[in-house]
Amino acid sequence: MVVCGDDGLAHRLAAELRGVYREQVTLVVPPSGRRVRQPVVGRARAASAALRDMVNAAVNRTGNSDAAGGTGGTGGAGRELEATEPTEDVLADAGVERATALALVYDDDETNIRAALTARRLNPRLRLVLRLYNRRLGQHIEELLDQSAALASGDGPGSGSGSTTVLSDADTAAPALAATALVGTSKVVETDGLLLRAVERNPPRPGEVADPGLCTLALLSATSNDPAGADGSEDSGEDGPQLLPDAAAVEAATGRGTVALEQVSYSGPPLPAGRAGVPAFGELFSRRLRWSLAGLAACVVALAVALMVVTGDHPLHATYVTLLDLFSINEPAHNADIGRQILQLLSGFVGLLLLPVLLAAVLEALGTFRSASTLRKPPRGLGGHVVLLGLGKIGTRVLTRLREMDIPVVCVEADPEARGMATARRLRVPVVLGDVTQEGVLEAAKIHRAHSLLALTSVDTTNLEAVLYARSVRSRLRVVLRLYDDDFATAVYRTLRAAHPRALTRSRSVTHLAAPSFAGAMMGRQILGAIPVERRVLLFAAVEVAGHPQLEGRTVGEAFRAGAWRVLALEVSDGERAAGADSPSEGARESRLVWELPDTYVLRGSDRVVLAATRRGLAELLGRRARQQSPG
């Protein structure tokens, strides 16, 4: 495996491949002087040591000591190269011509595309994984590179040789970051129209029976309500979250929340985000101005009624005369009685009040139309919203997710030319321009009335400072931090939970959330997405049953391994149905997926299934060396 990158994702991905999948990895990074600081991957090293012992034991039992790629059974070895750019010479030196897969995870889309075109020419059968922020461009690049590989290698389209996968760390991490900002929000994985919805549920009350949904994906940690709890860290022990529990574990668990797969359906292309059109009439004028106009209208009606009583005129004529007096275009009532003269003076006075109100209405309406294409300010009385700090790549994706769920958001950004400013204008989201470390900026975003704070800038200290200041303003504010190092995120989380026991705190590392999907794609598997369960990750993948003795020839019940993997659905062609399963519904025929498979259904080699798996479980099931060592 070859990994090329210039930030923390490259180091995290290399550690994932070495520690979990036991692959030989060549890491290409910029020279030391231009390199970003490497993330701490202590947990990956610990997982690597544990998995190394397990693999070595299996090697000793089978006597296949060279199955680890000639590394003497140690596996997961690799080297590191320094290069400013991934040129053709650099890629050749990294061994791309002999490599199985190449990951290009530079922060610049153009660099990744240029290197991918070069690598495809050097090795048409190479499996490519690209990190691209532009999703539409990524689809075209993926089709282009796959077609080029098919023509160069002589294999037909869809053969799997020289496949290309385009992923985005922003798209992978955005659902997790958006979900952690809201209590009770479901976690969603959406890829190629497949929608997986997992809902976090509180423990059932005494006498209540918990609804497991389609299946129970995880049991939350027993310390999830404990301020100093580990919240799913690797060392959380028996009290930590339990992924993919069996029926006995679910039944025995008391007082623990669950993550259940509640709804699975097929969705078409995502709806375009709301565009800024012509505002509704009620949005043209402020509430105070609308009350002023209503008061003036009431005065006109009162004057017309009074004139009708005094002079005995017809109601329409009395209203017409009142309006003439109001606009000062009627003749003075010199010869009229005293009542008529008083009413004319009152009408003139109301007309003087009407002029500034009409001018204010015109100016406010023009301002409302202009604000449809410019930045909006947080409205008065706003509360219960989410304050989002940073409109970079991650912040923009999270903003889009929150607005899709109709969550009110106020953004804070220091750079007027930031990537997400255009998205904020299009979605008509209020934005406060300013440095969050400066006094008064968070107050302008109504932080004292906010529901939660999402600190997603690219600077750890800025995120931490903003959270600490926001907690000083509102101690029970729910906060979510984006931090570079996962170990640092864990330490910050525990400290903030201990210091503010009644407040909800979450800290997330984008590289930690995105690396499993990139690693799974490098192994040649279709990773549909990942769902965070506290500080652990549950992966969803589409797998061919053929070649996997843990699945092939076994029933669905026998193929389930608690804590490792679980078969969720079976892909069938139109009109086909699984033997022993109920006839698929109309929706199932459209998606070609059969859910709620019976435990007695026998998986065949020609089947393709969707399964949920832990990182280690997926590595054991799909790892190349694990498959070589498996009997048969």
Side-chain angles (χ1 to χ4, degrees):
M1 302 287 179
V2 180
V3 177
C4 303
D6 56 358
D7 60 4
L9 181 58
H11 294 278
R12 171 67 66 177
L13 178 56
E16 187 90 5
L17 292 170
R18 291 169 180 166
V20 178
Y21 291 93
R22 306 297 301 138
E23 293 291 336
Q24 297 185 37
V25 181
T26 298
L27 179 61
V28 180
V29 292
S32 301
R34 300 180 56 183
R35 192 184 311 172
V36 296
R37 59 191 177 92
Q38 180 177 351
V40 179
V41 287
R43 290 195 178 90
R45 295 193 185 103
S48 173
L51 195 57
R52 181 185 299 117
D53 295 338
M54 180 182 68
V55 173
N56 288 339
V59 171
N60 294 333
R61 286 195 302 269
T62 59
N64 188 10
S65 59
D66 59 347
T71 58
T74 58
R79 60 187 179 124
E80 183 173 312
L81 300 178
E82 292 187 352
T84 304
E85 294 183 359
T87 61
E88 182 173 350
D89 293 337
V90 171
L91 293 176
D93 189 23
V96 167
E97 297 176 354
R98 304 179 305 277
T100 302
L102 166 66
L104 297 166
V105 292
Y106 290 94
D107 193 44
D108 179 55
D109 287 3
E110 182 180 349
T111 301
N112 293 328
I113 294 174
R114 185 168 59 249
L117 296 174
T118 303
R120 178 60 76 215
R121 187 177 70 253
L122 294 176
N123 187 353
R125 297 182 178 273
L126 181 69
R127 186 180 303 121
L128 285 174
V129 178
L130 278 73
R131 171 191 184 183
L132 295 182
Y133 181 80
N134 191 326
R135 290 176 288 186
R136 180 175 298 180
L137 176 61
Q139 294 176 357
H140 296 311
I141 291 296
E142 187 172 336
E143 295 174 358
L144 173 65
L145 292 174
D146 282 345
Q147 183 178 1
S148 174
L151 293 176
S153 62
D155 299 332
S159 62
S161 176
S163 63
T164 306
T165 304
V166 176
L167 298 174
S168 169
D169 58 330
D171 288 333
T172 304
L177 293 170
T180 51
L182 305 168
V183 178
T185 299
S186 59
K187 304 174 179 65
V188 177
V189 176
E190 185 176 1
T191 301
D192 296 333
L194 179 66
L195 185 66
L196 306 175
R197 184 168 179 259
V199 179
E200 184 174 319
R201 295 177 176 175
N202 295 324
R205 297 177 181 178
E208 291 183 351
V209 178
D211 180 14
L214 293 178
C215 68
T216 299
L217 297 176
L219 295 174
L220 300 179
S221 64
T223 60
S224 59
N225 295 322
D226 180 10
D231 189 24
S233 62
E234 297 290 343
D235 56 353
S236 54
E238 297 181 356
D239 293 334
Q242 188 174 351
L243 303 183
L244 302 176
D246 54 18
V250 174
E251 185 177 353
T254 57
R256 299 177 67 170
T258 61
V259 177
L261 193 63
E262 185 180 67
Q263 174 186 340
V264 183
S265 61
Y266 188 85
S267 66
L271 295 176
R275 295 181 173 83
V278 178
F281 178 78
E283 298 179 1
L284 288 175
F285 310 116
S286 64
R287 185 177 181 182
R288 183 179 302 176
L289 186 58
R290 292 198 299 269
W291 278 109
S292 300
L293 291 173
L296 288 174
C299 291
V300 172
V301 172
L303 290 173
V305 172
L307 183 61
M308 181 183 63
V309 172
V310 171
T311 61
D313 286 344
H314 188 272
L316 292 179
H317 186 264
T319 303
Y320 172 70
V321 173
T322 300
L323 291 177
L324 292 179
D325 293 335
L326 189 71
F327 295 114
S328 300
I329 55 177
N330 196 11
E331 300 212 358
H334 292 297
N335 302 322
D337 56 14
I338 188 67
R340 173 72 182 88
Q341 293 176 348
I342 293 176
L343 289 176
Q344 190 177 54
L345 292 176
L346 290 176
S347 299
F349 179 72
V350 173
L352 294 177
L353 296 179
L354 179 62
L355 290 177
V357 174
L358 291 177
L359 180 61
V362 172
L363 295 177
E364 192 167 298
L366 291 176
T368 302
F369 276 103
R370 291 185 60 187
S371 65
S373 59
T374 58
L375 295 178
R376 302 180 62 197
K377 294 182 179 180
R380 295 186 183 96
L382 179 65
H385 58 288
V386 175
V387 177
L388 175 62
L389 309 184
L391 285 175
K393 293 196 303 182
I394 305 297
T396 304
R397 289 288 193 255
V398 174
L399 172 62
T400 304
R401 284 279 179 175
L402 292 173
R403 291 305 301 136
E404 287 174 353
M405 295 184 288
D406 295 326
I407 304 299
V409 184
V410 173
C411 299
V412 179
E413 175 57 53
D415 183 11
E417 304 297 328
R419 185 190 296 265
M421 297 298 281
T423 302
R425 292 189 184 96
R426 177 171 53 85
L427 298 178
R428 303 186 65 200
V429 175
V431 178
V432 176
L433 287 175
D435 188 353
V436 295
T437 60
Q438 300 295 324
E439 188 174 354
V441 174
L442 286 178
E443 283 82 355
K446 315 292 184 183
I447 193 64
H448 56 285
R449 291 199 297 266
H451 173 271
S452 56
L453 170 67
L454 272 168
L456 304 181
T457 71
S458 58
V459 183
D460 286 2
T461 55
T462 300
N463 294 335
L464 184 56
E465 182 178 354
V467 167
L468 293 176
Y469 180 75
R471 278 283 168 82
S472 67
V473 176
R474 187 178 179 185
S475 60
R476 302 189 66 175
L477 179 70
R478 181 181 180 90
V479 299
V480 179
L481 294 87
R482 170 196 174 186
L483 297 177
Y484 186 80
D485 293 331
D486 189 54
D487 285 359
F488 181 48
T490 304
V492 169
Y493 159 77
R494 291 179 176 176
T495 304
L496 288 176
R497 284 284 298 269
H500 300 276
R502 296 187 178 182
L504 294 174
T505 305
R506 293 292 183 269
S507 57
R508 294 291 182 260
S509 169
V510 173
T511 58
H512 177 75
L513 294 173
S517 295
F518 280 82
M522 290 193 71
M523 297 302 297
R525 312 300 168 185
Q526 184 182 359
I527 302 297
L528 302 179
I531 285 180
V533 180
E534 297 180 1
R535 296 199 61 78
R536 302 182 67 182
V537 177
L538 190 63
L539 302 174
F540 290 86
V543 177
E544 300 285 349
V545 173
H548 300 290
Q550 303 94 329
L551 303 177
E552 190 173 2
R554 299 174 181 265
T555 64
V556 172
E558 293 171 347
F560 169 50
R561 181 177 297 182
W565 61 76
R566 178 171 188 165
V567 175
L568 299 178
L570 173 69
E571 181 175 347
V572 297
S573 58
D574 293 340
E576 182 185 355
R577 66 182 181 92
D582 295 335
S583 181
S585 63
E586 194 69 25
R589 284 197 296 269
E590 291 180 2
S591 64
R592 300 186 299 135
L593 289 172
V594 176
W595 302 92
E596 297 184 283
L597 287 171
D599 290 341
T600 56
Y601 174 73
V602 180
L603 298 174
R604 300 166 296 180
S606 58
D607 289 338
R608 189 169 186 263
V609 296
V610 175
L611 53 82
T614 62
R615 293 164 58 212
R616 296 184 183 181
L618 191 65
E620 182 181 352
L621 180 65
L622 305 181
R624 290 188 293 127
R625 293 192 175 89
R627 292 177 57 185
Q628 291 173 1
Q629 295 172 7
S630 299

